[in-house]
């Protein structure tokens, strides 16, 4: 008989990680705990990826109807968690070394390459579980172009990039994984999405929609106008497009 594992037993652990992430993000975003942006981003990515691999199964069918799954699939999740958390911890514990090294001049260590490659694989797998194969294929094509683009003829190609250079750019520099997108996610977007989730769970978000419906109740195309007005009201306090869509879109879009 194949050993099985029930992922639902991990909910207390996921909750503990979520609370730790909330506490970390709120203390760093409000200035109560001042850390270098690279450390904040690495911690953010490490915790988010760890929770994702604990929460979402690699099998799409099991995501919709959670049930016990083969133990080997969870062993793969443990490997992905180890790579994600390990790569983030490596950035945090070796922060001084990363800041002092000269990009594209100092040689990469074996650990740099190992954790860099591992984090890239973990992010691609996390993307597959959340967004499907389309984005993974696009990202894979971009990576293949970086590795083998020098073989293409004419203006389609580029100068040769060693694998070490690609991993260094993605993992150890601020132009890759730790760029502006993760920077926004680890600061503004996370806080406003958390705010929107709190409004939704406490039913406070309905105040914006009810006020919008009251104002547009006699207008033609009322539902659409209510959606626009409610979204504008929420945006005035959130300031984030992503948080706005998450907090109001769940009921304004079905309303239309």
């Amino acid at each position: 008989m194949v050993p099985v594992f029930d992922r639902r037993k991990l909910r207390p652990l996921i909750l503990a990680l979520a609370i730790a992430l909330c506490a970390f993000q709120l203390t760093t975003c409000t200035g109560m705990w001042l850390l270098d942006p690279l450390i904040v981003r690495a911690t953010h990515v490490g915790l988010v990826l760890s929770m994702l691999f604990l929460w979402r199964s690699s099998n799409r069918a099991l995501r919709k109807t959670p049930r016990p799954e083969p133990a080997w699939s969870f062993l793969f999740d443990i490997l992905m968690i180890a790579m994600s958390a390990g790569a983030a911890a490596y950035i945090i514990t070796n922060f001084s070394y990363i800041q002092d090294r000269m990009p594209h001049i100092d040689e990469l260590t074996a650990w740099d390459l190992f954790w860099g490659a591992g984090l890239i694989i973990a992010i691609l797998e996390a993307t597959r579980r959340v967004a499907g194969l389309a984005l993974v294929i696009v990202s894979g094509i971009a990576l293949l172009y970086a590795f083998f683009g020098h073989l293409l003829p004419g203006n389609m190609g580029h100068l040769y990039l060693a694998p070490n250079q690609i991993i260094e750019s993605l993992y150890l520099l601020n132009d890759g994984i730790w760029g502006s997108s993760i920077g926004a996610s680890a600061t503004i977007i996370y806080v406003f999405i958390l705010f929107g989730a709190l409004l939704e769970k406490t039913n406070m978000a309905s105040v914006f929609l009810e006020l919008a419906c009251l104002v547009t109740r006699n207008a033609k195309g009322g539902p659409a106008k209510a959606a626009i007005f409610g979204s504008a009201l929420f945006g005035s306090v959130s300031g984030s497009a992503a948080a706005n869509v998450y907090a109001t879109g769940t009921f304004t879009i079905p309303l239309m």
Side-chain angles (χ1 to χ4, degrees):
M1 184 177 180
V2 179
V4 296
F5 177 81
D6 192 347
R7 193 176 296 268
R8 289 169 291 186
K9 295 180 180 179
L10 298 174
R11 288 178 179 174
L13 175 59
I14 298 172
L15 178 61
L17 290 176
I19 293 173
L21 178 61
C22 288
F24 175 79
Q25 298 285 184
L26 290 175
T27 53
T28 54
C29 291
T30 56
M32 297 173 61
W33 190 7
L34 297 178
L35 294 173
D36 187 270
L38 180 60
I39 295 178
V40 174
R41 295 172 188 185
T43 306
H44 175 79
V45 169
L47 286 174
V48 168
L49 288 181
S50 297
M51 287 190 295
L52 189 146
F53 289 123
L54 288 172
W55 173 49
R56 292 182 73 92
S57 172
S58 58
N59 189 331
R60 180 180 297 180
L62 295 178
R63 299 174 204 162
K64 298 180 180 179
T65 56
R67 60 182 185 274
E69 57 190 282
W72 63 264
S73 64
F74 184 66
L75 293 177
F76 177 70
D77 292 338
I78 293 177
L79 175 61
M80 291 293 100
I81 293 170
M83 297 306 300
S84 305
Y90 183 80
I91 293 291
I92 296 169
T93 55
N94 294 275
F95 175 72
S96 298
Y97 152 73
I98 294 172
Q99 291 295 100
D100 294 339
R101 66 183 303 275
M102 299 183 67
H104 303 302
I105 296 178
D106 291 343
E107 292 290 333
L108 271 67
T109 66
W111 285 116
D112 294 339
L113 295 172
F114 175 77
W115 291 118
L119 184 60
I120 293 170
I121 295 172
I123 289 175
L124 289 175
E125 172 60 16
T127 303
R128 183 189 70 83
R129 297 190 188 193
V130 174
L133 280 175
L135 192 56
V136 176
I137 292 173
V138 173
S139 302
I141 292 174
L143 283 174
L144 289 175
Y145 180 73
F147 279 101
F148 303 108
H150 63 281
L151 300 176
L152 296 176
N155 293 330
M156 295 179 61
H158 56 71
L159 295 177
Y160 172 72
L161 295 174
N164 290 10
Q165 292 177 284
I166 298 173
I167 294 177
E168 179 183 11
S169 297
L170 291 176
Y171 180 59
L172 294 180
L173 303 182
N174 291 330
D175 299 330
I177 295 171
W178 318 117
S180 58
S181 297
I182 289 297
S185 174
T187 53
I188 299 172
I189 294 177
Y190 181 87
V191 173
F192 280 119
I193 288 180
L194 177 62
F195 176 63
L198 288 175
L199 287 180
E200 181 183 2
K201 294 302 181 182
T202 57
N203 290 327
M204 288 298 296
S206 60
V207 173
F208 299 104
L209 183 60
E210 290 175 2
L211 179 59
C213 291
L214 178 65
V215 173
T216 61
R217 66 185 187 278
N218 295 324
K220 293 183 179 180
K225 293 178 181 177
I228 294 171
F229 189 58
S231 180
L233 285 175
F234 186 81
S236 67
V237 295
S238 71
S240 170
N244 201 343
V245 172
Y246 178 81
T248 64
T250 52
F251 44 83
T252 57
I253 293 173
L255 178 67
M256 291 186 287

